[in-house]
Amino acid sequence: MDSQKTVTQPFITVALCTHNHADRLAQTLVDLAHIQHPSQPWEFLVIDNASSDGTPELLDTMDWRPAGIEIRVVREEKLGLSNARNRALHEARGDYLLFMDDDETPDPAWLTAYEQAMLEHQPDALGGRIEVLFEDGARPTWLQDELLGFLGKLDHGESRWLTESTTPIFGGNFAFHRKVFERIGSFDARLGRQGTANIGGEDTEIYRRLLEHSCRVRWVPEAIIQHRIQTPKLRRSYFLDLHFRQGRMEGSRKRGVQSRRPPGYLVRQILRAYVRALTQRIRQGSAHSLRLEMNAVYFTGYVVGWMKDATDPSSGSAL
């Protein structure tokens, strides 16, 4: 009588997408050993997004694989976080697909909290709390509380359904029922980090689509992720570059098929933004002016995108 290995259908696929972060990934894999296993079967899927550092060797040799669950490592050569997530959509076998990043430490109850919400509410999508952990140094004086959201910090309070555009879920800690992508489409490959290019917006864009399709999105505050920040690498330029790129993308989308000559109100917005930032810097110093400087470079990028970038007429997205 032949004995065949029975492959159990997982309820949850945990997908971790990584690119050239072997040092941070190693810590994340160690931390994953401390999470509580859910009652339902689950699998762990790693998407190696065209890494050229020691990531492939790390995944092959490091003794990181938790016992008792199926683990798969898949390489996606098309660079870009959204491409990696779309590959995870194709590879996942679970009813729910839960995403995390390679520089995060999940709370021990992270996965079981999500499982409980999935079983109790059967939502189309879920999001959890993200805290910021400065792992190797003091927090810079210029990093005010209002800026922590740009490092991934997210807290919408108690458990509830999310129905407003002002309460997004973030890519470092969100989950979807796999069938929802048949309704809303996959991740926009033009958005999200692409190697060293500081591009974002893919998570808030897909949240917008969830709302547009009347999907049920559940907030799960007990599903906590710690986003580990390497403090010496924090630079004001990161926040400025992020906002310039976001503004450029939005400017090209807003223009659509209109004239490349920007409207006069945009010029006035830029001038006002720079005056406010400069005034704040003079009055209170550079530790208190970064948020206004980010607004100024956003409008600058908006005008650059309006004037220079091509758009896809069918989608209104920059090419």
Side-chain angles (χ1 to χ4, degrees), residues 28-180:
T28 298
L29 295 176
V30 169
D31 293 339
L32 276 169
H34 302 294
I35 66 171
Q36 300 168 7
H37 289 236
S39 61
Q40 303 291 314
W42 67 289
E43 65 173 351
F44 186 57
L45 175 65
V46 180
I47 306 295
D48 175 7
N49 188 205
S51 295
S52 57
D53 63 350
T55 294
E57 293 76 16
L58 170 70
L59 292 169
D60 283 341
T61 62
M62 181 178 171
D63 184 18
W64 59 272
R65 299 171 183 261
I69 63 169
E70 181 180 356
I71 297 172
R72 288 182 290 141
V73 177
V74 177
R75 184 162 175 98
E76 172 54 57
E77 295 292 354
K78 185 179 282 188
L79 187 61
L81 178 56
S82 289
N83 290 321
R85 286 180 175 154
N86 287 334
R87 180 63 182 271
L89 297 183
H90 177 75
E91 298 286 344
R93 296 172 51 242
D95 293 336
Y96 280 94
L97 179 54
L98 171 55
F99 287 100
M100 66 177 298
D101 289 338
D102 57 15
D103 55 356
E104 296 182 327
T105 296
D107 183 82
W110 172 68
L111 190 50
T112 54
Y114 269 127
E115 179 196 32
Q116 181 178 348
M118 293 167 180
L119 292 173
E120 182 177 351
H121 300 288
Q122 294 88 46
D124 298 307
L126 311 90
R129 210 167 95 209
I130 303 176
E131 298 293 342
V132 176
L133 175 64
F134 299 99
E135 61 181 356
D136 51 7
R139 175 174 159 180
T141 57
W142 51 263
L143 188 58
Q144 303 294 310
D145 288 347
E146 62 182 351
L147 301 177
L148 294 180
F150 300 107
L151 295 176
K153 182 176 174 61
L154 185 68
D155 188 353
H156 295 319
E158 61 185 15
S159 300
R160 58 192 174 108
W161 294 103
L162 300 179
T163 59
E164 303 295 333
S165 61
T166 54
T167 54
I169 51 179
F170 284 177
N173 190 14
F174 60 11
F176 304 84
H177 197 289
R178 272 198 303 141
K179 289 187 177 180
V180 78

